[in-house]
Amino acid sequence: MDYYQLIQAEITERSELDKRMQADVDMLYLEKYVLKDKAGKAVPDIINITLNRPAVFGANVTSALGNAKQQVIVESDNKKIDTHEIESFLDNAMTDADRRLWEKGSPLLNPFADAQLCFRGRTARRVLLRQENGKTICDITPWDGRYVYYKMGEKGLKWAAYQCKRTKAEVEADYGAEVAARVVGNEVFVYDVWDDVHNEVWLGNYKVKETEHDYGFTPVCLQIVSLGYGPMLLDPKWQKHEGESIFFMIRDIVPEVNRLASILQTLNMNQLKAALQYQNPEGTPQDEPPDRPVMGDVVSVGKGNISPINLGEARESARMLYAIMEKAFQEGSYTDIDIGNVRQPFSAVALITIGENKDMVYMPRLAAKEMLNTATAEMLIKQAMQISGSIELGRPGHKRSYSTAKLQGEYSIDYKYFVKSPKIDIARMSVAQAAAPWYPRLYIYSNVLQVEDPDGMMREWSKQEAAQLSPMVKMHRIIMDLLEQAEKNNDEEAAREAQIMAMEMGMSLDQIKAGIMQPQPPKQPVAGKPLLPLLGDGGGQRGTNQMAANLVRTPQEAK
């Protein structure tokens, strides 16, 4: 199979998508705006303005995605499967891959994915878990989605290729002088191609390397954001609208805002050097006045005095147009409230509504990131099973050995991300307080507060309630905490305090550690003080006093 020709066909087919991605990059990097006429030519004598709003929007979204909390969840109906061991394996594998990238000076996996899903609308990874000289290497290389070419099959990728530019010196260092001699000029496109049986490396149209592998699948994960409707509306050039970036709703608004700003600034400058009319006393329109001003244009119109040219209603029209475009821009990106430009107080319901609108920007990116990491994790598990035996992973000083036997079985792997905002959380707490009399606590955790782990939160709440309702439960927890502190820090004072509390419970520390809970004997009533009143209040104070008097009489007095 001639992968070079297949890649060239993909490049041609995706030319419109490539133009779209370039337009997004220009917005992100604040490419200098130039006001042009209908023919596409630059208009002269214009003060061109490039506003920073796309860059601010992009920085806010990527920062928020980077701060999202990550949670890996492994679940199985088979109780014998140690899901925590699998989660630990995946965490350490990703940590190893990130460290490998960090040592090479490359972006880490999740930050790279955040930027890609925001500005490209897609990304990919080459996933290789292998052993070299008895050492496990987790080699996960992120690929820029703009330069990834592929074909899908029934069960994932049939093949995937990554295009990048390399200098002649880099080619010589990797493939030798003979291969480097084929490079025309100083740079060449290199294509790293993978399918389910082998790997090929092409320099331009020349194949320099071919290596077989035993994975049984294409070791590349690809994920596209599900926005843009390209694959759903299969019109001509549908690829242009597949996997949209965060700019897709403001892509046409940004140039218009820059155009308006440029026009307004040019009008301001023209006001400073306003154009003048000169009524020539000789009646020749082409003649200029002998005392022509240094700044501004002068138009000669005949006899009379010098007067300014009226610019009409340009500024009023500009204000109306700005209001329209500002509304459209905020609907398609961030609002002033999101970036903190509005300081007026808002109700809890209003803040939650604002947060839900902002989630429309985040959620498709986070969903794509979740699926990307899930696919990466499943691929790592498959490759680990092929290695078999023991796999050592983790940071230096914190390495762990994992038995691949514990990775066997049927289970699901999911990654979850949660974007939290203190303002929105406080607003949700206000709504939760109002909902408390009407809804169960688990419903409030799940649907009102939207916590990451509602079931876990319910368990923690039950523990807290148990400690509040039972002093013995609270004492037991304190004793266990003190014992842990004494053991970890060799804290003798904590050990003594635990011993004292155990004595108050009428138990030994060994019994508490072993979980042996002995029932406490009931307290004996104090002599002379009945547990309950012998008589009710019906007899009144006088009757009670009379009975007490009878109890202390001698037998003779009683007669």
Side-chain angles (χ1 to χ4, degrees):
M1 186 178 294
D2 190 341
Y3 279 117
Y4 176 77
Q5 295 299 328
L6 291 174
I7 292 169
Q8 298 310 307
E10 284 290 303
I11 292 174
T12 302
E13 188 176 3
R14 290 170 45 183
S15 60
E16 292 297 319
L17 174 62
D18 190 70
K19 291 178 183 177
R20 185 203 88 187
M21 290 185 177
Q22 185 59 51
D24 290 344
V25 169
D26 290 343
M27 276 195 291
L28 177 65
Y29 291 143
L30 302 178
E31 184 76 12
K32 295 302 180 184
Y33 174 79
V34 176
L35 193 147
K36 298 179 180 179
D37 59 18
K38 291 183 178 179
K41 296 181 180 180
V43 178
D45 299 325
I46 294 293
I47 301 174
N48 293 298
I49 301 295
T50 305
L51 298 178
N52 67 338
R53 299 186 69 175
V56 172
F57 178 39
N60 274 280
V61 176
T62 53
S63 297
L65 294 182
N67 289 328
K69 295 182 179 180
Q70 175 178 291
Q71 185 179 18
V72 56
I73 303 171
V74 178
E75 294 179 319
S76 176
D77 293 333
N78 186 350
K79 302 301 182 182
K80 295 182 179 180
I81 293 178
D82 189 348
T83 58
H84 295 292
E85 183 76 359
I86 299 169
E87 291 170 1
S88 176
F89 169 82
L90 294 173
D91 285 340
N92 277 314
M94 294 290 196
T95 300
D96 274 16
D98 272 338
R99 183 172 182 84
R100 181 180 173 85
L101 292 169
W102 171 70
E103 289 174 345
K104 294 192 299 183
S106 300
L108 304 186
L109 293 174
N110 278 334
F112 187 93
D114 292 336
Q116 288 281 303
L117 296 172
C118 283
F119 307 122
R120 304 293 199 204
R122 66 195 62 215
T123 191
R125 292 171 178 169
R126 187 195 64 194
V127 182
L128 305 177
L129 184 68
R130 62 184 186 275
Q131 283 193 325
E132 294 181 1
N133 301 323
K135 182 180 179 181
T136 303
I137 296 177
C138 189
D139 180 9
I140 304 177
T141 304
W143 286 359
D144 187 336
R146 183 176 179 180
Y147 306 107
V148 176
Y149 306 98
Y150 62 92
K151 279 296 181 184
M152 300 298 297
E154 291 293 330
K155 295 183 179 180
L157 289 170
K158 292 178 64 176
W159 61 269
Y162 187 48
Q163 171 189 287
C164 62
K165 273 187 178 181
R166 304 196 68 184
T167 65
K168 192 171 185 176
E170 291 172 334
V171 171
E172 183 174 353
D174 287 346
Y175 304 106
E178 183 178 348
V179 174
R182 303 180 65 95
V183 177
V184 178
N186 188 47
E187 290 183 327
V188 64
F189 279 119
V190 177
Y191 303 98
D192 186 17
V193 187
W194 291 81
D195 59 20
D196 58 349
V197 294
H198 73 297
N199 165 231
E200 296 180 4
V201 178
W202 292 69
L203 270 65
N205 60 355
Y206 174 63
K207 183 165 63 174
V208 297
K209 180 182 176 182
E210 184 172 352
T211 308
E212 293 185 355
H213 64 74
D214 299 324
Y215 295 133
F217 54 86
T218 303
V220 175
C221 300
L222 172 74
Q223 191 58 52
I224 301 175
V225 175
S226 58
L227 279 179
Y229 316 113
M232 306 172 196
L233 305 174
L234 297 178
D235 298 314
K237 300 180 180 179
W238 61 268
Q239 291 90 346
K240 178 181 179 181
H241 305 289
E242 181 187 28
E244 278 286 6
S245 74
I246 60 173
F247 294 140
F248 84 108
M249 288 188 288
I250 60 171
R251 194 175 287 125
D252 295 329
I253 297 295
V254 170
E256 293 303 319
V257 174
N258 286 335
R259 182 202 300 268
L260 180 59
S262 300
I263 292 172
L264 290 177
Q265 184 67 339
T266 302
L267 286 175
N268 290 336
M269 194 63 183
N270 287 340
Q271 186 67 33
L272 180 63
K273 54 170 191 175
L276 303 174
Q277 291 180 348
Y278 169 61
Q279 297 180 356
N280 194 323
E282 301 298 328
T284 306
Q286 288 77 18
D287 293 342
E288 292 187 354
D291 53 349
R292 182 186 186 281
V294 177
M295 297 180 65
D297 299 325
V298 176
V299 180
S300 181
V301 296
K303 294 182 178 181
N305 299 321
I306 294 176
S307 61
I309 295 177
N310 186 8
L311 297 176
E313 300 298 327
R315 286 184 175 79
E316 184 61 29
S317 299
R319 277 192 287 268
M320 295 173 62
L321 179 60
Y322 177 79
I324 295 171
M325 289 195 296
E326 178 66 18
K327 184 175 184 294
F329 192 98
Q330 294 201 26
E331 287 175 343
S333 62
Y334 264 14
T335 66
D336 286 335
I337 299 169
D338 297 325
I339 58 179
N341 287 344
V342 178
R343 298 189 178 183
Q344 69 187 69
F346 289 90
S347 68
V349 175
L351 284 171
I352 292 173
T353 303
I354 293 166
E356 290 172 347
N357 291 337
K358 190 165 58 177
D359 287 346
M360 296 178 187
V361 177
Y362 297 138
M363 291 303 108
R365 319 289 154 187
L366 290 177
K369 188 176 176 182
E370 289 170 356
M371 289 186 283
L372 174 68
N373 280 333
T374 296
T376 304
E378 291 176 352
M379 200 166 286
L380 287 171
I381 294 292
K382 290 179 183 178
Q383 293 176 349
M385 299 304 298
Q386 292 175 347
I387 293 174
S388 72
S390 178
I391 296 176
E392 189 178 60
L393 297 171
R395 296 177 297 166
H398 301 277
K399 288 188 175 293
R400 278 199 55 189
S401 291
Y402 296 90
S403 171
T404 55
K406 292 188 176 182
L407 305 179
Q408 295 178 353
E410 292 187 0
Y411 48 85
S412 64
I413 303 173
D414 293 295
Y415 279 79
K416 299 295 182 184
Y417 291 92
F418 303 89
V419 178
K420 286 296 185 179
S421 165
K423 289 189 296 185
I424 303 300
D425 285 346
I426 292 173
R428 293 190 187 282
M429 290 176 189
S430 298
V431 176
Q433 187 175 10
W438 310 101
Y439 292 97
R441 182 171 289 271
L442 182 59
Y443 176 89
I444 292 174
Y445 283 147
S446 302
N447 299 285
V448 181
L449 295 175
Q450 297 183 7
V451 299
E452 300 172 19
D453 184 9
D455 294 327
M457 188 70 76
M458 275 297 298
R459 290 191 294 270
E460 291 300 319
W461 178 80
S462 297
K463 291 179 181 179
Q464 182 179 349
E465 285 292 290
Q468 290 181 352
L469 294 174
S470 171
M472 298 291 284
V473 170
K474 188 173 184 179
M475 290 179 68
H476 177 265
R477 289 184 187 171
I478 295 174
I479 290 172
M480 297 304 293
D481 289 341
L482 289 170
L483 289 175
E484 183 180 0
Q485 182 178 344
E487 183 177 350
K488 284 185 177 181
N489 304 322
N490 196 23
D491 190 338
E492 295 182 358
E493 185 176 352
R496 284 194 297 270
E497 291 174 355
Q499 179 69 43
I500 293 170
M501 294 190 71
M503 292 172 62
E504 290 182 356
M505 293 178 69
M507 300 176 64
S508 68
L509 286 177
D510 290 336
Q511 288 176 320
I512 292 177
K513 290 178 182 178
I516 301 172
M517 298 291 111
Q518 293 181 341
Q520 299 299 307
K523 292 183 178 181
Q524 297 298 324
V526 179
K529 293 183 179 180
L531 294 177
L532 295 174
L534 296 178
L535 297 176
D537 292 334
Q541 183 68 28
R542 183 177 181 276
T544 303
N545 292 340
Q546 185 63 42
M547 178 63 70
N550 290 337
L551 289 174
V552 298
R553 285 181 180 180
T554 62
Q556 290 79 9
E557 291 173 335
K559 292 179 180 180

